[in-house]
């Protein structure tokens, strides 16, 4: 037992070289709440108070980076400056995602309802913040943010994925978007969709292994699309429970029947 305790103690020391997952998540949550006061119980009464709150979050991100051994070689100040300089653009992307849900879901009554209640909106917002940090080569923190969103929503989006404008995640539970997936604009994804790799062998690390989804594509519940060479052409519709490992042309409809898939009524392998 003494050796076991010693090993655990050594891991305890190593663990404190990284800010806690909760602290990292709370930072992102507080950014989210300032962007969307519908999610914030605290009302800010002046413009100066709003600016001061963002200033505190800038300082907090700097401290998170500074206290992380994994980010010892990061240019902390530049990363913070870049993230907050891009925040207006990220906010516009988030608002477009909220608008996509409002326009695409008959059950959504207004933007406030989407912002306050829709898990797909929360997941896409956390992805967009995490992706910005990922693009600035911040280690681990982006994964922590998207995994916390995964834990809360059941929606698993890797921060390395490339996702365009006007994303609509409908329901979303069980949705998986892999690291090298590329998703265009005006795409709608339902629950249980997997945009995955044909192989999870470590030999493929760092290579493109997830599909490309072009603009204006709808993918219905339970569909699985695999492979780095698989391209779903723009304005296509992929039906529920379809399994695809090969590309389909633009304006294609693919639907599932037992033991086969059909494109416009023709059987495909």
């Amino acid at each position: 037992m003494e050796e076991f305790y010693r090993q655990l103690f050594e891991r305890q020391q190593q663990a404190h070289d990284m800010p806690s997952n909760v602290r990292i998540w709370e930072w992102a949550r507080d950014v989210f709440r300032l962007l969307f006061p519908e999610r914030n119980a605290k009302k800010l009464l002046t413009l100066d108070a709003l600016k001061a709150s963002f200033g505190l979050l800038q300082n907090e991100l700097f401290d998170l980076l500074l206290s992380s051994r994994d980010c010892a070689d990061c240019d902390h100040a530049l990363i913070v400056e870049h993230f907050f300089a891009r925040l207006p653009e990220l906010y516009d992307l988030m608002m477009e995602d909220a608008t996509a849900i409002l326009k695409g879901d008959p059950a959504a009554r207004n933007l406030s309802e989407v912002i306050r209640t829709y898990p797909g909106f929360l997941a896409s917002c956390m992805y967009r913040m995490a992706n910005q940090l990922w693009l600035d080569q911040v280690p681990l923190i982006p994964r922590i943010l998207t995994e916390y969103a995964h834990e809360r929503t059941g929606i698993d989006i890797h921060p390395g994925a490339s996702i365009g404008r006007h994303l609509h995640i409908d329901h979303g539970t069980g949705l998986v978007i892999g690291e090298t997936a590329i998703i265009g604009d005006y795409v709608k994804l339902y629950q249980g969709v997997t945009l995955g790799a044909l192989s999870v062998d470590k030999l493929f690390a760092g290579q493109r292994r997830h599909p490309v989804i072009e603009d204006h594509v709808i993918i219905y519940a339970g569909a699985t699309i695999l492979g780095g060479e698989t391209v779903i052409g723009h304005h296509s519709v992929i039906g529920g429970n379809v399994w695809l490992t090969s590309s389909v042309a633009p304006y294609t409809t693919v639907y599932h029947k037992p033991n086969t898939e059909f494109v416009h009524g023709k059987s495909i392998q």
Side-chain angles (χ1 to χ4, degrees):
M1 287 298 293
E2 188 64 28
E3 177 63 19
F4 174 66
Y5 289 142
R6 186 187 64 78
Q7 291 176 4
L8 287 183
F9 179 74
E10 289 177 356
R11 289 183 56 79
Q12 288 281 333
Q13 308 317 300
Q14 295 169 3
H16 291 291
D17 291 332
M18 182 74 188
S20 73
N21 289 10
V22 171
R23 183 182 170 195
I24 292 167
W25 166 257
E26 287 178 345
W27 168 80
R29 179 205 62 192
D30 290 345
V31 173
F32 181 60
R33 287 176 175 176
L34 284 183
L35 294 175
F36 300 100
E38 296 91 338
R39 303 288 295 242
N40 196 351
K42 180 181 178 182
K43 184 176 181 180
L44 299 176
L45 299 178
T46 67
L47 181 59
D48 286 341
L50 178 64
K51 292 179 180 178
S53 296
F54 274 115
L56 290 173
L57 290 171
Q58 287 179 270
N59 293 337
E60 175 68 4
L61 178 57
F62 185 87
D63 288 342
L64 290 172
L65 297 170
L66 188 64
S67 59
S68 170
R69 172 182 285 184
D70 285 339
C71 208
D73 296 328
C74 296
D75 187 333
H76 307 127
L78 183 61
I79 291 169
V80 172
E81 178 184 356
H82 195 196
F83 180 87
F84 282 91
R86 279 214 64 207
L87 206 53
E89 182 181 346
L90 293 176
Y91 176 75
D92 287 344
L93 289 170
M94 294 172 188
M95 285 300 297
E96 287 188 30
D97 293 345
T99 301
I101 294 171
L102 177 62
K103 289 182 176 180
D105 185 357
R109 291 172 173 79
N110 51 59
L111 277 176
S112 180
E113 179 185 3
V114 171
I115 291 167
R116 293 195 67 155
T117 68
Y118 275 66
F121 178 67
L122 174 61
S124 67
C125 288
M126 287 300 155
Y127 154 78
R128 295 201 184 278
M129 286 193 283
N131 177 251
Q132 180 55 52
L133 295 172
W134 178 273
L135 293 175
D136 279 333
Q137 300 184 337
V138 175
L140 194 56
I141 289 175
R143 289 299 310 272
I144 290 171
L145 294 182
T146 54
E147 288 303 328
Y148 258 67
H150 180 197
E151 181 180 309
R152 282 158 173 75
T153 66
I155 298 167
D156 184 2
I157 307 176
H158 194 285
S162 176
I163 300 178
R165 312 183 78 92
H166 216 269
L167 174 68
H168 179 180
I169 297 175
D170 200 335
H171 302 294
T173 304
L175 171 67
V176 176
I177 300 174
E179 177 187 10
T180 63
I182 298 174
I183 299 175
D185 300 335
Y186 294 89
V187 169
K188 186 174 186 179
L189 305 172
Y190 282 83
Q191 68 272 20
V193 167
T194 297
L195 305 180
L198 276 169
S199 172
V200 294
D201 194 303
K202 289 294 286 186
L203 291 173
F204 295 101
Q207 299 181 33
R208 277 246 16 254
R209 57 192 186 279
H210 301 95
V212 174
I213 311 299
E214 294 185 346
D215 299 346
H216 295 278
V217 169
I218 301 173
I219 306 178
Y220 282 99
T224 297
I225 303 172
L226 305 178
E229 297 183 1
T230 303
V231 178
I232 306 302
H234 58 83
H235 294 87
S236 291
V237 177
I238 308 301
N241 298 317
V242 164
W243 177 283
L244 281 177
T245 59
S246 57
S247 299
V248 299
Y251 296 99
T252 298
T253 297
V254 181
Y255 59 94
H256 172 78
K257 284 190 175 181
N259 302 318
T260 187
E261 271 79 46
F262 284 77
V263 179
H264 290 307
K266 294 183 178 180
S267 177
I268 64 172
Q269 299 300 320

Coordinates of all heavy atoms in Angstrom, one line a residue, residues 103-182:
K103 N -35.4 29.5 -37.0 CA -36.0 29.4 -38.3 C -36.3 27.9 -38.7 O -37.2 27.6 -39.4 CB -35.1 30.0 -39.4 CG -35.0 31.5 -39.3 CD -34.1 32.0 -40.5 CE -34.1 33.6 -40.5 NZ -33.3 34.1 -41.5
G104 N -35.5 27.0 -38.1 CA -35.6 25.6 -38.6 C -36.4 24.7 -37.7 O -36.6 23.6 -38.0
D105 N -36.8 25.2 -36.5 CA -37.5 24.4 -35.6 C -38.9 25.0 -35.3 O -39.0 26.0 -34.6 CB -36.7 24.2 -34.3 CG -37.4 23.3 -33.3 OD1 -38.5 22.8 -33.6 OD2 -36.8 23.0 -32.2
P106 N -40.0 24.4 -35.7 CA -41.3 24.9 -35.4 C -41.6 25.1 -34.0 O -42.5 25.9 -33.6 CB -42.3 23.9 -36.1 CG -41.4 23.2 -37.1 CD -40.0 23.1 -36.5
A107 N -40.9 24.3 -33.1 CA -41.2 24.4 -31.7 C -40.6 25.6 -31.0 O -40.9 26.0 -29.9 CB -40.7 23.2 -31.0
A108 N -39.6 26.3 -31.7 CA -38.9 27.4 -31.2 C -39.7 28.7 -31.4 O -40.1 29.0 -32.6 CB -37.5 27.6 -31.8
R109 N -40.0 29.4 -30.3 CA -40.9 30.6 -30.5 C -40.2 31.9 -30.6 O -40.7 32.8 -31.2 CB -41.8 30.6 -29.2 CG -42.9 29.5 -29.2 CD -43.6 29.5 -27.9 NE -44.7 28.5 -28.0 CZ -44.6 27.2 -27.8 NH1 -43.4 26.7 -27.6 NH2 -45.6 26.4 -27.9
N110 N -39.0 32.0 -30.1 CA -38.2 33.2 -30.2 C -36.7 32.9 -29.9 O -36.4 31.9 -29.3 CB -38.8 34.3 -29.3 CG -39.0 33.9 -27.8 OD1 -38.0 33.5 -27.2 ND2 -40.2 33.9 -27.3
L111 N -35.9 33.9 -30.1 CA -34.5 33.8 -29.9 C -34.1 33.6 -28.4 O -33.2 32.8 -28.1 CB -33.7 35.0 -30.4 CG -33.4 35.0 -31.9 CD1 -32.7 36.3 -32.3 CD2 -32.5 33.8 -32.3
S112 N -34.9 34.2 -27.6 CA -34.6 34.1 -26.1 C -34.8 32.7 -25.7 O -34.0 32.1 -24.9 CB -35.5 35.0 -25.3 OG -35.3 34.9 -24.0
E113 N -35.8 32.0 -26.2 CA -36.1 30.6 -25.8 C -34.9 29.7 -26.3 O -34.5 28.8 -25.6 CB -37.4 30.1 -26.4 CG -37.7 28.7 -26.1 CD -39.0 28.2 -26.8 OE1 -39.6 28.9 -27.6 OE2 -39.3 27.0 -26.6
V114 N -34.5 30.0 -27.5 CA -33.4 29.2 -28.1 C -32.1 29.3 -27.2 O -31.4 28.4 -26.9 CB -33.1 29.6 -29.5 CG1 -31.8 29.0 -30.1 CG2 -34.2 29.2 -30.5
I115 N -31.8 30.6 -26.9 CA -30.6 30.9 -26.1 C -30.6 30.3 -24.7 O -29.7 29.7 -24.2 CB -30.4 32.4 -26.1 CG1 -30.0 32.9 -27.5 CG2 -29.3 32.8 -25.1 CD1 -30.0 34.4 -27.6
R116 N -31.8 30.3 -24.1 CA -31.9 29.9 -22.7 C -32.0 28.3 -22.6 O -31.6 27.8 -21.6 CB -33.1 30.5 -22.1 CG -33.0 32.0 -21.9 CD -34.0 32.5 -20.9 NE -33.8 32.0 -19.5 CZ -34.2 32.7 -18.4 NH1 -34.8 33.8 -18.5 NH2 -34.0 32.2 -17.3
T117 N -32.6 27.7 -23.6 CA -33.0 26.3 -23.4 C -32.4 25.3 -24.3 O -32.4 24.1 -24.0 CB -34.5 26.2 -23.5 OG1 -35.0 26.4 -24.8 CG2 -35.2 27.2 -22.5
Y118 N -31.9 25.6 -25.5 CA -31.5 24.6 -26.5 C -30.1 24.1 -26.3 O -29.2 24.9 -26.3 CB -31.7 25.2 -27.9 CG -33.1 25.1 -28.4 CD1 -34.1 25.8 -27.9 CD2 -33.4 24.3 -29.5 CE1 -35.4 25.7 -28.3 CE2 -34.7 24.2 -30.0 CZ -35.7 24.9 -29.4 OH -37.0 24.8 -29.9
P119 N -30.0 22.8 -26.0 CA -28.6 22.3 -25.8 C -27.7 22.4 -27.1 O -26.5 22.6 -26.9 CB -28.9 20.8 -25.5 CG -30.2 20.5 -26.0 CD -31.0 21.8 -25.9
G120 N -28.3 22.3 -28.2 CA -27.5 22.5 -29.5 C -26.9 23.9 -29.5 O -25.7 24.0 -30.0
F121 N -27.6 24.9 -29.1 CA -27.0 26.2 -29.1 C -25.8 26.3 -28.1 O -24.8 26.9 -28.4 CB -28.1 27.2 -28.7 CG -27.6 28.7 -28.6 CD1 -27.1 29.3 -29.8 CD2 -27.5 29.3 -27.4 CE1 -26.6 30.6 -29.7 CE2 -27.0 30.6 -27.4 CZ -26.5 31.3 -28.5
L122 N -26.0 25.8 -26.9 CA -24.9 25.8 -25.9 C -23.7 25.1 -26.4 O -22.6 25.6 -26.3 CB -25.4 25.1 -24.6 CG -24.3 25.0 -23.5 CD1 -23.7 26.3 -23.1 CD2 -24.9 24.2 -22.3
A123 N -23.9 23.9 -27.0 CA -22.8 23.1 -27.5 C -22.1 23.8 -28.7 O -20.8 23.8 -28.7 CB -23.3 21.7 -28.0
S124 N -22.8 24.4 -29.6 CA -22.2 25.1 -30.7 C -21.4 26.4 -30.2 O -20.3 26.7 -30.7 CB -23.2 25.5 -31.8 OG -24.1 26.5 -31.3
C125 N -21.9 27.1 -29.2 CA -21.2 28.2 -28.7 C -19.9 27.8 -28.0 O -18.9 28.5 -28.2 CB -22.1 29.0 -27.7 SG -23.4 29.9 -28.4
M126 N -19.9 26.8 -27.2 CA -18.7 26.3 -26.5 C -17.7 25.8 -27.6 O -16.5 26.0 -27.4 CB -19.0 25.2 -25.5 CG -19.7 25.7 -24.3 SD -18.7 27.0 -23.4 CE -20.0 27.9 -22.6
Y127 N -18.2 25.1 -28.6 CA -17.3 24.7 -29.7 C -16.6 25.9 -30.3 O -15.4 25.9 -30.5 CB -18.0 23.9 -30.8 CG -17.3 24.1 -32.1 CD1 -16.2 23.3 -32.4 CD2 -17.8 25.0 -33.1 CE1 -15.5 23.5 -33.6 CE2 -17.1 25.2 -34.2 CZ -16.0 24.4 -34.5 OH -15.3 24.6 -35.7
R128 N -17.4 27.0 -30.6 CA -16.8 28.1 -31.3 C -15.7 28.8 -30.4 O -14.7 29.3 -30.9 CB -17.9 29.1 -31.7 CG -18.8 28.5 -32.8 CD -19.6 29.5 -33.6 NE -20.5 28.8 -34.5 CZ -20.2 28.3 -35.7 NH1 -18.9 28.4 -36.1 NH2 -21.1 27.8 -36.5
M129 N -15.9 28.9 -29.1 CA -14.9 29.5 -28.3 C -13.7 28.6 -28.2 O -12.5 29.0 -28.3 CB -15.5 29.7 -26.9 CG -16.4 30.9 -26.8 SD -16.8 31.5 -25.1 CE -18.0 30.2 -24.6
A130 N -14.0 27.3 -28.0 CA -12.9 26.3 -27.9 C -12.1 26.3 -29.3 O -10.8 26.1 -29.2 CB -13.4 24.9 -27.6
N131 N -12.8 26.3 -30.4 CA -12.1 26.3 -31.7 C -11.1 27.5 -31.8 O -10.0 27.3 -32.4 CB -13.1 26.3 -32.8 CG -12.5 26.3 -34.2 OD1 -12.6 27.3 -34.9 ND2 -11.9 25.2 -34.6
Q132 N -11.5 28.6 -31.4 CA -10.6 29.8 -31.5 C -9.3 29.5 -30.7 O -8.2 29.8 -31.2 CB -11.3 31.0 -30.9 CG -10.4 32.3 -31.0 CD -9.9 32.6 -32.4 OE1 -10.6 32.6 -33.4 NE2 -8.6 32.7 -32.5
L133 N -9.4 29.0 -29.5 CA -8.2 28.6 -28.7 C -7.4 27.5 -29.4 O -6.2 27.5 -29.4 CB -8.6 28.2 -27.3 CG -9.3 29.3 -26.5 CD1 -9.8 28.8 -25.2 CD2 -8.3 30.5 -26.2
W134 N -8.1 26.6 -30.0 CA -7.5 25.5 -30.7 C -6.7 26.0 -31.9 O -5.5 25.6 -32.1 CB -8.5 24.5 -31.2 CG -8.0 23.4 -32.1 CD1 -7.8 23.4 -33.4 CD2 -7.7 22.1 -31.6 NE1 -7.4 22.1 -33.8 CE2 -7.3 21.3 -32.7 CE3 -7.7 21.5 -30.3 CZ2 -6.9 20.0 -32.6 CZ3 -7.3 20.1 -30.2 CH2 -6.9 19.4 -31.4
L135 N -7.2 27.0 -32.6 CA -6.5 27.6 -33.8 C -5.3 28.4 -33.3 O -4.3 28.5 -34.1 CB -7.5 28.5 -34.5 CG -8.6 27.8 -35.3 CD1 -9.6 28.9 -35.9 CD2 -8.1 26.8 -36.3
D136 N -5.3 28.9 -32.1 CA -4.1 29.5 -31.5 C -3.2 28.5 -30.8 O -2.3 28.9 -30.1 CB -4.6 30.6 -30.6 CG -5.0 31.9 -31.3 OD1 -4.4 32.1 -32.4 OD2 -5.8 32.7 -30.7
Q137 N -3.5 27.2 -31.0 CA -2.6 26.1 -30.6 C -2.5 26.1 -29.0 O -1.5 25.7 -28.5 CB -1.2 26.3 -31.2 CG -1.3 26.2 -32.7 CD 0.1 26.2 -33.4 OE1 1.1 26.7 -32.8 NE2 0.2 25.7 -34.6
V138 N -3.6 26.4 -28.4 CA -3.6 26.3 -26.9 C -3.9 24.8 -26.6 O -4.9 24.2 -27.1 CB -4.8 27.1 -26.3 CG1 -4.9 26.9 -24.8 CG2 -4.5 28.6 -26.6
P139 N -3.0 24.1 -25.8 CA -3.3 22.7 -25.6 C -4.3 22.5 -24.5 O -4.5 23.3 -23.6 CB -1.9 22.3 -25.1 CG -1.3 23.5 -24.5 CD -1.8 24.7 -25.3
L140 N -5.0 21.4 -24.6 CA -5.9 20.8 -23.6 C -7.1 21.6 -23.2 O -8.2 21.1 -23.1 CB -5.1 20.5 -22.3 CG -5.8 19.6 -21.3 CD1 -6.2 18.3 -21.9 CD2 -4.9 19.4 -20.1
I141 N -7.0 22.9 -23.0 CA -8.1 23.8 -22.6 C -9.3 23.7 -23.6 O -10.4 23.5 -23.1 CB -7.7 25.2 -22.4 CG1 -6.8 25.3 -21.1 CG2 -8.9 26.2 -22.2 CD1 -6.2 26.7 -20.8
P142 N -9.1 23.7 -24.9 CA -10.2 23.6 -25.8 C -10.9 22.2 -25.6 O -12.1 22.2 -25.7 CB -9.5 23.7 -27.2 CG -8.3 24.5 -27.0 CD -7.8 24.1 -25.6
R143 N -10.2 21.2 -25.4 CA -10.8 19.9 -25.2 C -11.6 19.8 -23.9 O -12.7 19.2 -23.9 CB -9.7 18.7 -25.1 CG -9.1 18.4 -26.5 CD -10.0 17.9 -27.5 NE -10.9 16.9 -27.1 CZ -10.6 15.6 -27.2 NH1 -9.5 15.2 -27.6 NH2 -11.5 14.7 -26.8
I144 N -11.1 20.5 -22.9 CA -11.9 20.5 -21.6 C -13.2 21.3 -21.8 O -14.2 20.8 -21.4 CB -11.0 21.2 -20.5 CG1 -9.8 20.3 -20.1 CG2 -11.9 21.6 -19.3 CD1 -8.8 21.0 -19.2
L145 N -13.2 22.3 -22.6 CA -14.4 23.1 -22.8 C -15.4 22.3 -23.6 O -16.6 22.2 -23.2 CB -14.1 24.4 -23.6 CG -13.2 25.4 -22.9 CD1 -13.1 26.7 -23.7 CD2 -13.9 25.8 -21.5
T146 N -15.0 21.6 -24.7 CA -16.0 20.9 -25.5 C -16.5 19.6 -24.8 O -17.6 19.2 -24.9 CB -15.5 20.5 -26.9 OG1 -14.2 19.9 -26.8 CG2 -15.3 21.8 -27.7
E147 N -15.6 19.0 -23.9 CA -16.0 17.8 -23.2 C -17.0 18.2 -22.0 O -17.9 17.4 -21.7 CB -14.8 17.1 -22.6 CG -14.0 16.4 -23.7 CD -14.8 15.4 -24.5 OE1 -15.8 14.8 -23.9 OE2 -14.5 15.2 -25.7
Y148 N -16.8 19.4 -21.5 CA -17.8 19.8 -20.5 C -19.1 20.1 -21.1 O -20.2 19.7 -20.6 CB -17.3 21.1 -19.8 CG -16.8 20.8 -18.4 CD1 -15.6 20.0 -18.2 CD2 -17.4 21.2 -17.2 CE1 -15.1 19.7 -17.0 CE2 -16.9 20.9 -16.0 CZ -15.8 20.2 -15.8 OH -15.3 19.9 -14.6
A149 N -19.1 20.7 -22.4 CA -20.4 20.8 -23.1 C -21.0 19.5 -23.5 O -22.2 19.3 -23.4 CB -20.1 21.7 -24.4
H150 N -20.1 18.5 -23.8 CA -20.5 17.2 -24.1 C -21.2 16.6 -22.9 O -22.3 15.9 -23.0 CB -19.3 16.3 -24.5 CG -19.6 14.9 -24.8 ND1 -18.6 14.0 -24.9 CD2 -20.7 14.3 -25.2 CE1 -19.1 12.8 -25.2 NE2 -20.4 12.9 -25.4
E151 N -20.6 16.7 -21.7 CA -21.2 16.2 -20.5 C -22.6 16.8 -20.2 O -23.5 16.1 -19.7 CB -20.2 16.5 -19.3 CG -20.7 16.0 -18.0 CD -19.7 16.4 -16.9 OE1 -18.5 16.1 -17.1 OE2 -20.1 17.0 -15.9
R152 N -22.8 18.0 -20.5 CA -24.0 18.7 -20.2 C -25.1 18.5 -21.3 O -26.3 18.6 -21.0 CB -23.8 20.2 -20.0 CG -23.2 20.5 -18.6 CD -22.4 21.8 -18.5 NE -22.0 22.0 -17.1 CZ -21.0 21.4 -16.5 NH1 -20.3 20.5 -17.2 NH2 -20.7 21.7 -15.3
T153 N -24.7 18.3 -22.5 CA -25.7 18.3 -23.6 C -25.8 16.9 -24.3 O -26.7 16.7 -25.1 CB -25.3 19.3 -24.7 OG1 -24.1 19.0 -25.3 CG2 -25.2 20.7 -24.0
G154 N -24.8 16.1 -24.2 CA -24.7 14.8 -24.9 C -24.2 15.0 -26.4 O -24.3 14.1 -27.2
I155 N -23.7 16.3 -26.7 CA -23.3 16.6 -28.0 C -21.8 16.7 -28.0 O -21.2 17.5 -27.2 CB -23.9 17.9 -28.5 CG1 -25.4 17.8 -28.6 CG2 -23.3 18.4 -29.8 CD1 -26.1 19.1 -28.7
D156 N -21.1 15.9 -28.8 CA -19.6 15.7 -28.8 C -19.0 16.4 -30.0 O -19.1 15.7 -31.1 CB -19.3 14.3 -28.6 CG -17.8 14.0 -28.5 OD1 -17.0 15.0 -28.4 OD2 -17.4 12.8 -28.4
I157 N -18.5 17.6 -29.9 CA -17.9 18.3 -31.0 C -16.4 18.5 -30.7 O -16.1 19.2 -29.7 CB -18.5 19.6 -31.3 CG1 -20.0 19.5 -31.5 CG2 -17.9 20.3 -32.6 CD1 -20.8 20.8 -31.6
H158 N -15.5 17.9 -31.5 CA -14.1 18.1 -31.2 C -13.7 19.6 -31.6 O -14.2 20.1 -32.6 CB -13.3 17.2 -32.1 CG -11.8 17.1 -31.7 ND1 -10.9 18.1 -31.9 CD2 -11.1 16.2 -31.0 CE1 -9.7 17.8 -31.5 NE2 -9.9 16.6 -30.9
P159 N -12.9 20.3 -30.8 CA -12.6 21.7 -31.1 C -11.8 21.9 -32.3 O -11.8 23.0 -32.9 CB -11.8 22.1 -29.8 CG -11.3 20.9 -29.3 CD -12.3 19.8 -29.5
G160 N -11.2 20.8 -32.9 CA -10.5 20.9 -34.1 C -11.3 20.9 -35.4 O -10.8 21.2 -36.5
A161 N -12.6 20.5 -35.2 CA -13.4 20.5 -36.4 C -13.6 21.8 -37.0 O -13.5 22.9 -36.3 CB -14.8 19.9 -36.0
S162 N -13.8 21.9 -38.3 CA -14.1 23.2 -39.0 C -15.6 23.3 -39.3 O -16.1 22.5 -40.1 CB -13.2 23.2 -40.3 OG -13.5 24.4 -41.0
I163 N -16.2 24.3 -38.8 CA -17.7 24.4 -38.9 C -18.0 25.8 -39.4 O -17.6 26.8 -38.8 CB -18.4 24.1 -37.6 CG1 -18.1 22.6 -37.1 CG2 -19.9 24.3 -37.7 CD1 -18.7 22.3 -35.8
G164 N -18.8 25.8 -40.4 CA -19.2 27.1 -41.0 C -20.3 27.8 -40.3 O -20.6 27.6 -39.1
R165 N -21.0 28.7 -41.0 CA -22.0 29.6 -40.4 C -23.3 28.9 -40.4 O -23.6 28.0 -41.2 CB -22.1 30.9 -41.2 CG -20.7 31.6 -41.5 CD -20.9 32.9 -42.2 NE -21.3 33.9 -41.2 CZ -20.4 34.7 -40.5 NH1 -19.1 34.5 -40.7 NH2 -20.8 35.6 -39.7
H166 N -24.2 29.4 -39.5 CA -25.6 29.1 -39.5 C -25.8 27.6 -39.3 O -26.6 26.9 -40.0 CB -26.2 29.5 -40.9 CG -27.7 30.0 -40.8 ND1 -28.7 29.1 -40.9 CD2 -28.2 31.2 -40.6 CE1 -29.9 29.8 -40.8 NE2 -29.5 31.1 -40.6
L167 N -25.1 27.1 -38.3 CA -25.3 25.6 -37.9 C -26.5 25.4 -37.1 O -26.8 26.2 -36.1 CB -24.1 25.2 -37.1 CG -24.1 23.8 -36.5 CD1 -24.0 22.8 -37.6 CD2 -23.0 23.6 -35.5
H168 N -27.3 24.4 -37.5 CA -28.5 24.1 -36.7 C -28.4 22.7 -36.2 O -28.4 21.7 -37.0 CB -29.8 24.2 -37.6 CG -31.0 23.8 -36.9 ND1 -32.3 23.9 -37.5 CD2 -31.3 23.4 -35.6 CE1 -33.2 23.5 -36.6 NE2 -32.6 23.2 -35.5
I169 N -28.2 22.5 -34.9 CA -28.2 21.2 -34.2 C -29.6 21.0 -33.6 O -29.9 21.8 -32.7 CB -27.1 21.1 -33.1 CG1 -25.7 21.3 -33.8 CG2 -27.2 19.8 -32.4 CD1 -24.6 21.3 -32.8
D170 N -30.3 20.1 -34.1 CA -31.7 19.9 -33.6 C -31.7 18.7 -32.7 O -31.3 17.6 -33.1 CB -32.6 19.6 -34.8 CG -34.1 19.8 -34.5 OD1 -34.4 19.8 -33.3 OD2 -34.9 20.1 -35.4
H171 N -32.2 18.9 -31.5 CA -32.1 17.9 -30.4 C -30.6 17.6 -30.0 O -30.1 18.1 -29.0 CB -32.8 16.6 -30.7 CG -34.3 16.8 -31.1 ND1 -35.2 17.3 -30.1 CD2 -35.0 16.7 -32.2 CE1 -36.4 17.4 -30.7 NE2 -36.3 17.0 -32.0
G172 N -29.9 16.9 -30.8 CA -28.5 16.8 -30.7 C -27.9 15.7 -29.9 O -26.7 15.3 -30.0
T173 N -28.7 15.1 -29.0 CA -28.2 14.0 -28.1 C -27.5 12.9 -28.9 O -28.1 12.4 -29.9 CB -29.3 13.4 -27.3 OG1 -29.9 14.5 -26.5 CG2 -28.7 12.4 -26.3
G174 N -26.3 12.6 -28.6 CA -25.5 11.5 -29.3 C -24.8 12.0 -30.5 O -24.2 11.2 -31.2
L175 N -24.9 13.3 -30.9 CA -24.2 13.8 -32.1 C -22.7 13.8 -31.8 O -22.2 14.2 -30.8 CB -24.7 15.2 -32.3 CG -23.9 16.0 -33.4 CD1 -24.1 15.4 -34.8 CD2 -24.3 17.5 -33.4
V176 N -22.0 13.3 -32.8 CA -20.5 13.2 -32.7 C -19.9 13.9 -34.0 O -20.2 13.5 -35.1 CB -20.0 11.8 -32.6 CG1 -18.5 11.8 -32.6 CG2 -20.5 11.1 -31.3
I177 N -19.0 14.8 -33.8 CA -18.3 15.5 -34.9 C -16.8 15.4 -34.6 O -16.3 15.9 -33.6 CB -18.7 17.0 -35.0 CG1 -20.2 17.1 -35.3 CG2 -17.9 17.6 -36.2 CD1 -20.7 18.5 -35.3
G178 N -16.1 14.7 -35.5 CA -14.7 14.4 -35.2 C -13.8 15.5 -35.5 O -14.1 16.5 -36.1
E179 N -12.5 15.3 -35.1 CA -11.5 16.3 -35.1 C -11.3 17.0 -36.5 O -11.1 18.2 -36.6 CB -10.2 15.7 -34.6 CG -9.0 16.7 -34.6 CD -7.7 16.0 -34.3 OE1 -7.7 14.8 -34.2 OE2 -6.7 16.8 -34.1
T180 N -11.2 16.2 -37.5 CA -10.9 16.7 -38.9 C -12.1 16.9 -39.8 O -11.9 17.1 -41.0 CB -9.8 15.9 -39.5 OG1 -10.4 14.6 -39.8 CG2 -8.6 15.8 -38.7
A181 N -13.3 16.8 -39.2 CA -14.5 17.0 -40.0 C -14.6 18.4 -40.5 O -14.1 19.4 -39.8 CB -15.7 16.7 -39.1
I182 N -15.1 18.6 -41.7 CA -15.3 20.0 -42.2 C -16.8 20.1 -42.6 O -17.4 19.3 -43.3 CB -14.5 20.2 -43.5 CG1 -13.0 20.1 -43.2 CG2 -14.8 21.5 -44.1 CD1 -12.1 20.1 -44.4

